[in-house]
Coordinates of all heavy atoms in Angstrom, one line a residue:
M1 N 13.6 5.3 1.7 CA 12.3 5.3 2.2 C 12.2 4.3 3.3 O 12.7 3.2 3.2 CB 11.3 4.9 1.1 CG 9.9 5.1 1.4 SD 8.8 4.8 -0.1 CE 9.1 6.3 -1.0
T2 N 11.6 4.6 4.4 CA 11.5 3.7 5.6 C 10.2 3.0 5.6 O 9.3 3.3 4.9 CB 11.7 4.6 6.9 OG1 10.6 5.4 7.0 CG2 13.0 5.3 6.9
D3 N 10.1 2.1 6.6 CA 8.8 1.3 6.7 C 7.7 2.3 7.1 O 6.5 2.0 6.8 CB 9.0 0.3 7.8 CG 9.8 -0.9 7.3 OD1 9.9 -1.0 6.0 OD2 10.3 -1.7 8.1
N4 N 8.0 3.4 7.9 CA 7.0 4.3 8.3 C 6.3 5.0 7.1 O 5.1 5.3 7.2 CB 7.6 5.3 9.2 CG 8.0 4.8 10.6 OD1 7.5 3.7 11.0 ND2 8.9 5.4 11.3
T5 N 7.0 5.2 6.0 CA 6.4 5.8 4.9 C 5.6 4.8 4.1 O 4.7 5.2 3.3 CB 7.4 6.6 4.0 OG1 8.4 5.6 3.6 CG2 8.1 7.7 4.7
L6 N 5.9 3.6 4.2 CA 5.2 2.6 3.4 C 3.9 2.1 4.1 O 3.0 1.7 3.5 CB 6.1 1.3 3.2 CG 7.3 1.5 2.3 CD1 8.1 0.3 2.2 CD2 6.9 2.0 0.9
Q7 N 3.9 2.2 5.4 CA 2.7 1.8 6.2 C 1.4 2.5 5.8 O 0.4 1.9 5.5 CB 3.0 1.8 7.7 CG 3.9 0.8 8.1 CD 4.3 0.9 9.6 OE1 3.9 1.9 10.2 NE2 4.9 -0.1 10.1
P8 N 1.4 3.8 5.6 CA 0.2 4.5 5.2 C -0.2 4.1 3.8 O -1.4 3.9 3.6 CB 0.6 6.0 5.2 CG 1.7 6.1 6.2 CD 2.5 4.8 6.1
K9 N 0.7 3.8 2.9 CA 0.4 3.4 1.6 C -0.3 2.0 1.6 O -1.2 1.7 0.9 CB 1.6 3.4 0.7 CG 2.1 4.7 0.3 CD 3.3 4.7 -0.5 CE 3.9 6.1 -0.8 NZ 5.1 6.0 -1.6
D10 N 0.3 1.1 2.5 CA -0.2 -0.2 2.6 C -1.7 -0.1 3.2 O -2.6 -0.9 2.8 CB 0.6 -1.1 3.5 CG 1.9 -1.5 2.9 OD1 2.0 -1.5 1.7 OD2 2.9 -1.8 3.7
K11 N -1.9 0.7 4.1 CA -3.2 0.9 4.7 C -4.2 1.5 3.7 O -5.3 1.0 3.6 CB -3.1 1.9 5.9 CG -4.4 2.0 6.6 CD -4.3 2.7 8.0 CE -5.6 3.0 8.7 NZ -6.8 2.4 8.2
L12 N -3.7 2.4 2.9 CA -4.6 2.9 1.8 C -5.0 1.8 0.9 O -6.2 1.8 0.5 CB -3.8 4.1 1.1 CG -4.6 4.7 -0.1 CD1 -5.8 5.3 0.4 CD2 -3.7 5.6 -0.8
V13 N -4.1 1.0 0.5 CA -4.4 -0.1 -0.5 C -5.4 -1.0 0.2 O -6.4 -1.4 -0.4 CB -3.1 -0.9 -0.9 CG1 -3.5 -2.2 -1.6 CG2 -2.3 0.0 -1.8
A14 N -5.2 -1.4 1.5 CA -6.1 -2.2 2.2 C -7.5 -1.6 2.3 O -8.5 -2.2 2.1 CB -5.6 -2.6 3.6
D15 N -7.5 -0.3 2.6 CA -8.8 0.4 2.7 C -9.5 0.5 1.4 O -10.8 0.3 1.3 CB -8.6 1.9 3.2 CG -8.2 1.9 4.7 OD1 -8.3 0.9 5.4 OD2 -7.7 3.0 5.1
L16 N -8.8 0.7 0.3 CA -9.4 0.7 -1.0 C -10.0 -0.7 -1.4 O -11.0 -0.8 -2.0 CB -8.4 1.2 -2.1 CG -8.1 2.7 -2.1 CD1 -7.0 3.0 -3.1 CD2 -9.4 3.5 -2.4
K17 N -9.3 -1.7 -1.0 CA -9.8 -3.1 -1.3 C -11.1 -3.3 -0.5 O -12.0 -3.9 -1.1 CB -8.8 -4.1 -0.8 CG -7.6 -4.3 -1.8 CD -6.7 -5.4 -1.3 CE -5.6 -5.6 -2.2 NZ -4.7 -6.7 -1.8
T18 N -11.2 -2.8 0.7 CA -12.4 -2.9 1.5 C -13.5 -2.1 0.8 O -14.7 -2.7 0.7 CB -12.2 -2.4 2.9 OG1 -11.1 -3.1 3.5 CG2 -13.4 -2.5 3.8
V19 N -13.3 -0.9 0.3 CA -14.3 -0.1 -0.3 C -14.8 -0.8 -1.6 O -16.0 -0.9 -1.9 CB -13.8 1.3 -0.7 CG1 -14.7 2.0 -1.6 CG2 -13.5 2.1 0.6
V20 N -13.9 -1.4 -2.4 CA -14.3 -2.1 -3.6 C -15.1 -3.3 -3.2 O -16.1 -3.6 -3.9 CB -13.0 -2.5 -4.4 CG1 -13.4 -3.5 -5.5 CG2 -12.3 -1.3 -5.0
A21 N -14.7 -4.1 -2.2 CA -15.5 -5.2 -1.8 C -16.9 -4.9 -1.3 O -17.9 -5.5 -1.7 CB -14.7 -6.0 -0.7
D22 N -17.0 -3.8 -0.6 CA -18.3 -3.3 -0.1 C -19.2 -2.8 -1.3 O -20.4 -3.1 -1.3 CB -18.1 -2.2 0.9 CG -17.5 -2.6 2.2 OD1 -17.5 -3.8 2.5 OD2 -17.1 -1.7 3.0
A23 N -18.6 -2.2 -2.2 CA -19.3 -1.7 -3.4 C -19.8 -2.9 -4.2 O -21.0 -2.9 -4.7 CB -18.5 -0.8 -4.2
E24 N -19.0 -3.9 -4.3 CA -19.4 -5.1 -5.1 C -20.5 -5.8 -4.3 O -21.5 -6.3 -5.0 CB -18.2 -6.1 -5.2 CG -17.2 -5.6 -6.3 CD -16.0 -6.4 -6.3 OE1 -15.7 -7.1 -5.4 OE2 -15.3 -6.4 -7.4
E25 N -20.5 -5.8 -3.0 CA -21.5 -6.4 -2.2 C -22.8 -5.6 -2.4 O -23.9 -6.2 -2.5 CB -21.1 -6.5 -0.8 CG -22.1 -7.2 0.1 CD -21.6 -7.2 1.6 OE1 -20.4 -7.2 1.8 OE2 -22.5 -7.3 2.5
L26 N -22.7 -4.3 -2.4 CA -23.9 -3.5 -2.6 C -24.5 -3.7 -4.0 O -25.7 -3.8 -4.2 CB -23.5 -2.0 -2.4 CG -24.6 -1.0 -2.6 CD1 -25.7 -1.1 -1.6 CD2 -24.1 0.4 -2.5
L27 N -23.6 -3.8 -5.0 CA -24.1 -4.1 -6.3 C -24.8 -5.4 -6.4 O -25.9 -5.5 -7.1 CB -22.8 -4.1 -7.2 CG -23.1 -4.0 -8.7 CD1 -23.8 -2.7 -9.1 CD2 -21.7 -4.1 -9.5
A28 N -24.3 -6.4 -5.7 CA -25.0 -7.7 -5.7 C -26.3 -7.6 -5.0 O -27.3 -8.3 -5.4 CB -24.1 -8.8 -5.1
A29 N -26.4 -6.9 -3.9 CA -27.6 -6.8 -3.1 C -28.7 -6.1 -3.9 O -29.9 -6.3 -3.6 CB -27.3 -6.1 -1.8
T30 N -28.4 -5.2 -4.8 CA -29.4 -4.4 -5.5 C -29.7 -5.1 -6.9 O -30.4 -4.5 -7.7 CB -28.9 -3.0 -5.8 OG1 -27.7 -3.0 -6.5 CG2 -28.8 -2.2 -4.4
A31 N -29.3 -6.3 -7.1 CA -29.5 -7.0 -8.3 C -31.0 -7.2 -8.7 O -31.4 -7.1 -9.8 CB -28.8 -8.3 -8.3
Q32 N -31.8 -7.3 -7.6 CA -33.2 -7.5 -7.9 C -34.0 -6.2 -8.1 O -35.1 -6.3 -8.5 CB -33.9 -8.3 -6.7 CG -33.8 -9.8 -6.7 CD -32.3 -10.3 -6.7 OE1 -31.4 -9.6 -6.2 NE2 -32.1 -11.5 -7.2
S33 N -33.4 -5.1 -7.8 CA -34.0 -3.8 -8.0 C -34.2 -3.6 -9.5 O -33.4 -3.9 -10.3 CB -33.2 -2.7 -7.4 OG -33.0 -2.9 -6.0
T34 N -35.4 -3.0 -9.8 CA -35.7 -2.8 -11.2 C -35.8 -1.3 -11.4 O -35.8 -0.5 -10.5 CB -37.1 -3.4 -11.6 OG1 -38.1 -2.9 -10.7 CG2 -37.0 -4.9 -11.5
G35 N -35.9 -0.9 -12.6 CA -36.0 0.5 -13.0 C -34.9 1.0 -13.8 O -33.8 0.4 -13.7
E36 N -35.2 1.9 -14.7 CA -34.2 2.3 -15.7 C -33.0 3.0 -15.0 O -31.8 2.8 -15.3 CB -34.8 3.3 -16.7 CG -33.9 3.7 -17.8 CD -34.6 4.6 -18.8 OE1 -35.8 4.3 -19.2 OE2 -34.0 5.6 -19.2
K37 N -33.3 3.9 -14.0 CA -32.3 4.6 -13.3 C -31.4 3.7 -12.5 O -30.2 3.8 -12.5 CB -32.9 5.7 -12.4 CG -32.9 7.0 -13.1 CD -33.1 8.1 -12.0 CE -32.9 9.4 -12.7 NZ -32.1 10.3 -12.1
V38 N -32.0 2.7 -11.8 CA -31.2 1.7 -11.0 C -30.3 0.9 -11.9 O -29.1 0.7 -11.6 CB -32.2 0.8 -10.2 CG1 -31.4 -0.3 -9.5 CG2 -32.9 1.6 -9.2
A39 N -30.8 0.5 -13.1 CA -30.0 -0.3 -14.0 C -28.9 0.5 -14.5 O -27.7 0.0 -14.6 CB -30.9 -0.8 -15.2
E40 N -29.1 1.8 -14.9 CA -28.1 2.6 -15.3 C -27.0 2.9 -14.3 O -25.8 2.8 -14.5 CB -28.7 4.0 -15.8 CG -27.7 5.0 -16.3 CD -28.3 6.3 -16.7 OE1 -29.4 6.3 -17.2 OE2 -27.7 7.3 -16.4
L41 N -27.5 3.1 -13.0 CA -26.6 3.3 -11.9 C -25.7 2.1 -11.6 O -24.5 2.2 -11.4 CB -27.4 3.7 -10.7 CG -27.0 5.0 -10.1 CD1 -28.2 5.8 -9.8 CD2 -26.2 4.7 -8.8
R42 N -26.4 0.9 -11.7 CA -25.6 -0.4 -11.5 C -24.6 -0.6 -12.5 O -23.5 -1.0 -12.2 CB -26.6 -1.5 -11.4 CG -27.5 -1.6 -10.2 CD -28.3 -2.9 -10.1 NE -27.4 -3.9 -9.7 CZ -27.1 -5.0 -10.4 NH1 -27.5 -5.1 -11.6 NH2 -26.3 -5.9 -9.9
E43 N -24.9 -0.3 -13.8 CA -23.9 -0.4 -14.9 C -22.8 0.5 -14.7 O -21.6 0.1 -14.8 CB -24.6 -0.1 -16.2 CG -23.7 -0.4 -17.4 CD -24.5 -0.1 -18.7 OE1 -25.7 -0.4 -18.8 OE2 -23.8 0.4 -19.6
R44 N -23.0 1.8 -14.3 CA -22.0 2.7 -14.1 C -21.1 2.3 -12.9 O -19.9 2.4 -13.0 CB -22.6 4.1 -13.9 CG -21.9 5.2 -14.6 CD -22.5 6.5 -14.5 NE -23.2 6.8 -13.3 CZ -24.1 7.7 -13.1 NH1 -24.5 8.4 -14.1 NH2 -24.7 7.8 -11.9
L45 N -21.7 1.9 -11.8 CA -21.0 1.5 -10.7 C -20.1 0.3 -11.0 O -19.0 0.2 -10.6 CB -22.0 1.1 -9.5 CG -21.4 0.6 -8.2 CD1 -20.5 1.7 -7.6 CD2 -22.4 0.2 -7.2
G46 N -20.7 -0.7 -11.7 CA -19.9 -1.9 -12.1 C -18.7 -1.5 -13.0 O -17.5 -2.0 -12.8
E47 N -18.8 -0.5 -13.9 CA -17.7 -0.1 -14.7 C -16.7 0.7 -13.8 O -15.5 0.4 -14.0 CB -18.3 0.9 -15.8 CG -17.3 1.3 -16.8 CD -17.9 2.2 -17.9 OE1 -18.9 1.8 -18.4 OE2 -17.3 3.2 -18.2
N48 N -17.2 1.5 -12.9 CA -16.2 2.2 -12.0 C -15.5 1.3 -11.1 O -14.3 1.5 -10.8 CB -17.0 3.3 -11.2 CG -17.4 4.4 -12.0 OD1 -16.9 4.7 -13.1 ND2 -18.4 5.2 -11.5
L49 N -16.2 0.2 -10.7 CA -15.5 -0.8 -9.8 C -14.4 -1.5 -10.6 O -13.3 -1.8 -10.1 CB -16.5 -1.8 -9.3 CG -17.3 -1.3 -8.1 CD1 -18.4 -2.4 -7.7 CD2 -16.4 -1.2 -6.9
R50 N -14.7 -1.9 -11.8 CA -13.6 -2.6 -12.7 C -12.4 -1.7 -12.8 O -11.3 -2.1 -12.7 CB -14.2 -3.0 -14.0 CG -15.0 -4.2 -14.0 CD -15.4 -4.7 -15.4 NE -16.3 -3.7 -16.1 CZ -17.6 -3.7 -15.9 NH1 -18.2 -4.5 -15.0 NH2 -18.4 -2.8 -16.5
T51 N -12.7 -0.4 -13.1 CA -11.6 0.6 -13.3 C -10.8 0.7 -12.0 O -9.6 0.7 -12.0 CB -12.2 1.9 -13.7 OG1 -12.9 1.8 -14.9 CG2 -11.0 2.9 -13.9
A52 N -11.5 0.8 -10.9 CA -10.9 1.0 -9.6 C -10.0 -0.3 -9.2 O -8.9 -0.2 -8.7 CB -11.9 1.2 -8.5
R53 N -10.6 -1.4 -9.5 CA -9.9 -2.7 -9.3 C -8.5 -2.7 -10.1 O -7.5 -3.1 -9.5 CB -10.7 -3.9 -9.6 CG -10.3 -5.1 -8.9 CD -11.2 -6.3 -9.1 NE -12.6 -6.0 -8.9 CZ -13.6 -6.2 -9.8 NH1 -13.4 -6.5 -11.0 NH2 -14.9 -5.9 -9.5
Y54 N -8.6 -2.3 -11.4 CA -7.4 -2.3 -12.2 C -6.4 -1.3 -11.6 O -5.2 -1.6 -11.6 CB -7.7 -2.0 -13.6 CG -8.4 -3.1 -14.3 CD1 -9.6 -2.9 -15.1 CD2 -8.0 -4.5 -14.2 CE1 -10.3 -3.9 -15.7 CE2 -8.7 -5.5 -14.8 CZ -9.8 -5.2 -15.6 OH -10.5 -6.2 -16.2
R55 N -6.8 -0.1 -11.3 CA -5.9 0.9 -10.8 C -5.3 0.5 -9.4 O -4.2 0.7 -9.1 CB -6.7 2.2 -10.6 CG -6.9 2.9 -11.9 CD -7.6 4.2 -11.8 NE -7.8 4.8 -13.1 CZ -8.5 5.9 -13.2 NH1 -9.0 6.5 -12.2 NH2 -8.7 6.4 -14.4
L56 N -6.1 -0.2 -8.6 CA -5.6 -0.7 -7.3 C -4.6 -1.7 -7.5 O -3.5 -1.7 -6.8 CB -6.8 -1.3 -6.5 CG -6.5 -1.8 -5.1 CD1 -5.9 -0.6 -4.3 CD2 -7.8 -2.3 -4.5
A57 N -4.8 -2.6 -8.5 CA -3.8 -3.6 -8.8 C -2.5 -3.0 -9.3 O -1.4 -3.4 -8.9 CB -4.3 -4.6 -9.8
D58 N -2.6 -1.9 -10.1 CA -1.4 -1.2 -10.6 C -0.7 -0.5 -9.4 O 0.5 -0.6 -9.4 CB -1.8 -0.2 -11.6 CG -2.2 -0.8 -12.9 OD1 -2.0 -2.0 -13.2 OD2 -2.8 -0.1 -13.8
A59 N -1.4 0.1 -8.5 CA -0.8 0.8 -7.4 C -0.1 -0.2 -6.5 O 1.0 0.0 -6.0 CB -1.9 1.6 -6.6
E60 N -0.8 -1.4 -6.3 CA -0.2 -2.4 -5.4 C 1.1 -2.9 -6.1 O 2.1 -3.1 -5.4 CB -1.2 -3.5 -5.3 CG -1.0 -4.3 -4.0 CD -2.1 -5.3 -3.8 OE1 -3.0 -5.4 -4.6 OE2 -2.1 -5.9 -2.7
A61 N 1.1 -3.1 -7.4 CA 2.3 -3.6 -8.0 C 3.4 -2.6 -8.0 O 4.6 -2.9 -7.7 CB 2.0 -3.9 -9.5
A62 N 3.1 -1.3 -8.1 CA 4.1 -0.2 -8.0 C 4.7 -0.1 -6.6 O 5.9 0.1 -6.4 CB 3.5 1.1 -8.4
L63 N 3.8 -0.3 -5.6 CA 4.3 -0.3 -4.2 C 5.2 -1.4 -4.0 O 6.3 -1.3 -3.3 CB 3.1 -0.3 -3.3 CG 3.3 -0.3 -1.8 CD1 4.0 1.0 -1.4 CD2 2.0 -0.5 -1.0
R64 N 4.9 -2.6 -4.5 CA 5.7 -3.8 -4.3 C 7.1 -3.5 -4.9 O 8.1 -3.8 -4.4 CB 5.1 -5.0 -4.8 CG 4.4 -5.8 -3.8 CD 3.9 -7.2 -4.3 NE 2.5 -7.1 -4.5 CZ 1.9 -7.2 -5.6 NH1 2.5 -7.5 -6.7 NH2 0.6 -7.1 -5.7
E65 N 7.1 -3.0 -6.2 CA 8.3 -2.8 -6.9 C 9.2 -1.7 -6.2 O 10.4 -1.9 -6.0 CB 8.0 -2.3 -8.3 CG 9.3 -2.1 -9.1 CD 10.2 -3.3 -9.3 OE1 9.7 -4.4 -9.3 OE2 11.4 -3.1 -9.3
R66 N 8.6 -0.7 -5.7 CA 9.3 0.4 -5.0 C 9.9 -0.2 -3.7 O 11.1 0.1 -3.3 CB 8.4 1.5 -4.6 CG 9.0 2.6 -3.9 CD 10.1 3.4 -4.7 NE 10.7 4.4 -3.9 CZ 12.0 4.7 -3.9 NH1 12.8 4.1 -4.8 NH2 12.5 5.6 -3.1
T67 N 9.2 -1.1 -3.0 CA 9.7 -1.7 -1.8 C 10.9 -2.6 -2.1 O 11.9 -2.6 -1.4 CB 8.6 -2.6 -1.1 OG1 7.5 -1.8 -0.8 CG2 9.1 -3.2 0.1
R68 N 10.8 -3.3 -3.2 CA 12.0 -4.1 -3.7 C 13.2 -3.3 -4.0 O 14.3 -3.6 -3.6 CB 11.6 -5.0 -4.9 CG 10.8 -6.2 -4.6 CD 10.6 -7.1 -5.8 NE 9.4 -7.8 -5.6 CZ 8.3 -7.7 -6.4 NH1 8.3 -6.9 -7.4 NH2 7.3 -8.4 -6.1
E69 N 13.0 -2.1 -4.7 CA 14.1 -1.2 -5.0 C 14.7 -0.7 -3.7 O 16.0 -0.6 -3.7 CB 13.5 0.0 -5.8 CG 13.2 -0.4 -7.2 CD 12.5 0.7 -8.0 OE1 12.5 1.9 -7.5 OE2 12.0 0.5 -9.1
V70 N 13.9 -0.3 -2.8 CA 14.5 0.2 -1.5 C 15.3 -0.9 -0.8 O 16.4 -0.7 -0.3 CB 13.4 0.7 -0.6 CG1 13.9 1.0 0.8 CG2 12.8 2.0 -1.2
A71 N 14.8 -2.1 -0.8 CA 15.5 -3.2 -0.2 C 16.8 -3.5 -0.9 O 17.8 -3.8 -0.2 CB 14.6 -4.5 -0.1
R72 N 16.8 -3.5 -2.2 CA 18.0 -3.7 -3.0 C 19.0 -2.6 -2.7 O 20.2 -2.9 -2.5 CB 17.7 -3.8 -4.5 CG 17.2 -5.1 -4.9 CD 17.2 -5.2 -6.4 NE 16.3 -4.3 -7.1 CZ 15.0 -4.6 -7.4 NH1 14.6 -5.9 -7.2 NH2 14.2 -3.8 -8.0
A73 N 18.6 -1.4 -2.7 CA 19.5 -0.2 -2.4 C 20.1 -0.3 -1.0 O 21.3 -0.1 -0.8 CB 18.7 1.1 -2.6
T74 N 19.3 -0.7 0.0 CA 19.8 -0.9 1.3 C 20.8 -2.0 1.4 O 21.8 -1.8 2.0 CB 18.6 -1.1 2.3 OG1 17.6 0.0 2.2 CG2 19.0 -1.3 3.7
D75 N 20.4 -3.1 0.8 CA 21.3 -4.3 0.8 C 22.7 -3.9 0.1 O 23.7 -4.2 0.6 CB 20.7 -5.4 0.0 CG 21.5 -6.7 0.1 OD1 21.8 -7.1 1.2 OD2 21.9 -7.2 -1.0
H76 N 22.6 -3.2 -1.0 CA 23.8 -2.7 -1.7 C 24.7 -1.8 -0.8 O 25.9 -2.0 -0.7 CB 23.5 -2.0 -3.0 CG 24.6 -1.5 -3.7 ND1 25.5 -2.4 -4.4 CD2 25.1 -0.3 -3.9 CE1 26.5 -1.6 -4.9 NE2 26.2 -0.4 -4.7
Y77 N 24.0 -0.9 -0.1 CA 24.7 0.1 0.7 C 25.4 -0.7 1.9 O 26.6 -0.4 2.2 CB 23.8 1.1 1.3 CG 24.5 2.1 2.1 CD1 25.2 3.2 1.6 CD2 24.5 2.0 3.5 CE1 25.9 4.1 2.3 CE2 25.2 2.9 4.3 CZ 25.9 4.0 3.7 OH 26.6 4.9 4.5
V78 N 24.7 -1.6 2.5 CA 25.2 -2.3 3.6 C 26.4 -3.1 3.2 O 27.4 -3.2 3.9 CB 24.2 -3.2 4.3 CG1 24.8 -4.1 5.3 CG2 23.2 -2.3 5.0
H79 N 26.4 -3.7 2.0 CA 27.5 -4.5 1.5 C 28.7 -3.6 1.1 O 29.8 -4.0 1.3 CB 27.1 -5.4 0.3 CG 26.4 -6.6 0.7 ND1 25.0 -6.7 0.8 CD2 26.8 -7.8 1.1 CE1 24.6 -7.9 1.2 NE2 25.7 -8.6 1.4
E80 N 28.4 -2.5 0.6 CA 29.5 -1.5 0.3 C 30.1 -0.8 1.5 O 31.3 -0.5 1.4 CB 29.0 -0.5 -0.7 CG 28.6 -1.1 -2.1 CD 29.8 -1.6 -2.8 OE1 30.9 -0.9 -2.9 OE2 29.7 -2.7 -3.4
H81 N 29.3 -0.6 2.5 CA 29.8 0.2 3.7 C 29.3 -0.5 4.9 O 28.5 0.0 5.7 CB 29.2 1.6 3.6 CG 29.4 2.3 2.4 ND1 30.6 2.9 2.0 CD2 28.6 2.6 1.3 CE1 30.5 3.5 0.8 NE2 29.3 3.3 0.4
P82 N 29.9 -1.7 5.2 CA 29.4 -2.5 6.4 C 29.7 -1.8 7.7 O 28.8 -1.8 8.6 CB 30.2 -3.8 6.3 CG 31.4 -3.5 5.4 CD 31.0 -2.4 4.5
W83 N 30.8 -1.1 7.9 CA 31.2 -0.5 9.1 C 30.3 0.7 9.4 O 29.9 1.0 10.5 CB 32.6 -0.2 9.2 CG 33.5 -1.4 9.3 CD1 34.3 -1.9 8.4 CD2 33.5 -2.3 10.4 NE1 34.8 -3.1 8.8 CE2 34.4 -3.4 10.1 CE3 32.9 -2.4 11.7 CZ2 34.6 -4.4 10.9 CZ3 33.1 -3.4 12.5 CH2 34.0 -4.4 12.1
K84 N 30.0 1.5 8.3 CA 29.1 2.6 8.5 C 27.7 2.1 8.9 O 27.0 2.7 9.8 CB 28.9 3.4 7.2 CG 30.1 4.3 7.0 CD 29.8 5.2 5.7 CE 30.9 6.1 5.4 NZ 30.6 6.9 4.2
A85 N 27.2 1.0 8.3 CA 25.9 0.4 8.6 C 25.9 0.0 10.1 O 24.9 0.2 10.8 CB 25.6 -0.7 7.6
I86 N 27.0 -0.7 10.5 CA 27.0 -1.2 11.9 C 27.0 0.0 12.8 O 26.3 0.0 13.9 CB 28.3 -2.1 12.1 CG1 28.1 -3.4 11.3 CG2 28.5 -2.3 13.6 CD1 29.3 -4.2 11.3
G87 N 27.8 1.1 12.5 CA 27.8 2.3 13.3 C 26.4 2.9 13.4 O 26.0 3.3 14.5
V88 N 25.8 3.1 12.3 CA 24.4 3.7 12.3 C 23.5 2.8 13.1 O 22.7 3.3 13.9 CB 23.9 3.9 10.9 CG1 22.4 4.3 10.8 CG2 24.7 5.0 10.2
A89 N 23.5 1.5 12.9 CA 22.6 0.6 13.7 C 22.9 0.7 15.2 O 22.0 0.7 16.0 CB 22.7 -0.8 13.2
A90 N 24.2 0.7 15.5 CA 24.5 0.8 17.0 C 24.1 2.2 17.5 O 23.5 2.2 18.7 CB 26.0 0.7 17.1
G91 N 24.3 3.2 16.8 CA 23.8 4.6 17.3 C 22.3 4.6 17.4 O 21.8 5.1 18.4
F92 N 21.6 4.0 16.5 CA 20.2 4.0 16.5 C 19.7 3.2 17.7 O 18.8 3.6 18.5 CB 19.6 3.5 15.2 CG 18.1 3.5 15.2 CD1 17.4 4.7 15.1 CD2 17.4 2.3 15.3 CE1 16.0 4.7 15.0 CE2 16.0 2.3 15.3 CZ 15.3 3.5 15.2
G93 N 20.4 2.0 17.9 CA 20.0 1.2 19.1 C 20.3 1.9 20.4 O 19.5 1.8 21.3
L94 N 21.4 2.6 20.5 CA 21.7 3.4 21.7 C 20.7 4.4 22.0 O 20.2 4.6 23.1 CB 23.1 4.0 21.6 CG 23.6 4.9 22.7 CD1 23.7 4.0 24.0 CD2 24.8 5.6 22.4
L95 N 20.3 5.1 20.9 CA 19.3 6.2 21.0 C 17.9 5.6 21.5 O 17.3 6.1 22.4 CB 19.1 6.9 19.7 CG 18.1 8.1 19.7 CD1 18.5 9.2 20.6 CD2 17.9 8.6 18.2
V96 N 17.5 4.5 20.9 CA 16.2 3.9 21.3 C 16.4 3.4 22.7 O 15.4 3.5 23.5 CB 15.9 2.7 20.3 CG1 14.7 1.9 20.9 CG2 15.5 3.3 18.9
G97 N 17.5 2.8 23.1 CA 17.7 2.3 24.5 C 17.6 3.5 25.5 O 17.0 3.3 26.5
L98 N 18.2 4.6 25.1 CA 18.1 5.8 26.0 C 16.7 6.3 26.2 O 16.3 6.6 27.3 CB 19.0 6.9 25.5 CG 20.5 6.7 25.7 CD1 21.3 7.8 25.0 CD2 20.9 6.6 27.1
L99 N 16.0 6.3 25.1 CA 14.6 6.8 25.1 C 13.7 5.8 25.9 O 12.8 6.3 26.7 CB 14.0 7.0 23.7 CG 14.6 8.1 22.9 CD1 14.1 8.1 21.5 CD2 14.4 9.5 23.6
I100 N 13.9 4.5 25.7 CA 13.1 3.6 26.5 C 13.5 3.6 28.0 O 12.6 3.5 28.8 CB 13.3 2.2 25.9 CG1 12.6 2.1 24.5 CG2 12.7 1.1 26.8 CD1 12.9 0.8 23.8
G101 N 14.8 3.8 28.2 CA 15.2 3.9 29.6 C 14.7 5.0 30.4 O 14.5 5.0 31.6
R102 N 14.3 6.1 29.7 CA 13.7 7.3 30.4 C 12.3 7.0 30.9 O 11.8 7.8 31.7 CB 13.8 8.5 29.5 CG 15.2 9.0 29.3 CD 15.1 10.3 28.6 NE 16.5 10.8 28.5 CZ 16.8 12.0 28.0 NH1 15.8 12.8 27.5 NH2 18.0 12.4 28.0
R103 N 11.6 6.1 30.3 CA 10.2 5.9 30.6 C 10.1 5.2 31.9 O 10.1 4.7 32.7 CB 9.5 5.2 29.5 CG 9.3 6.1 28.3 CD 8.6 5.4 27.3 NE 8.5 6.3 26.1 CZ 7.5 6.2 25.2 NH1 6.6 5.4 25.3 NH2 7.5 7.0 24.2

């Protein structure tokens, strides 16, 4: 897995954190509102926010663990096959250099 595949997941986690924070702010702003329906809605929203926060924490932990696994696998591969890794890195650098040179 490359950094490019992790970036959208990181962005999703950040976006979900923003949504949860905004919902909590909305919940606090409507604290003075009265009425049975509003109270019921606030209670349901609070419960859903708690659930979302726990799921977000789980997703974030899973993402961190997967990133660590990928880093360990890459480290292991580079230590087991250093010349292949150097060759791949050199080839990639050459390719990037050629693409940049065309611009």
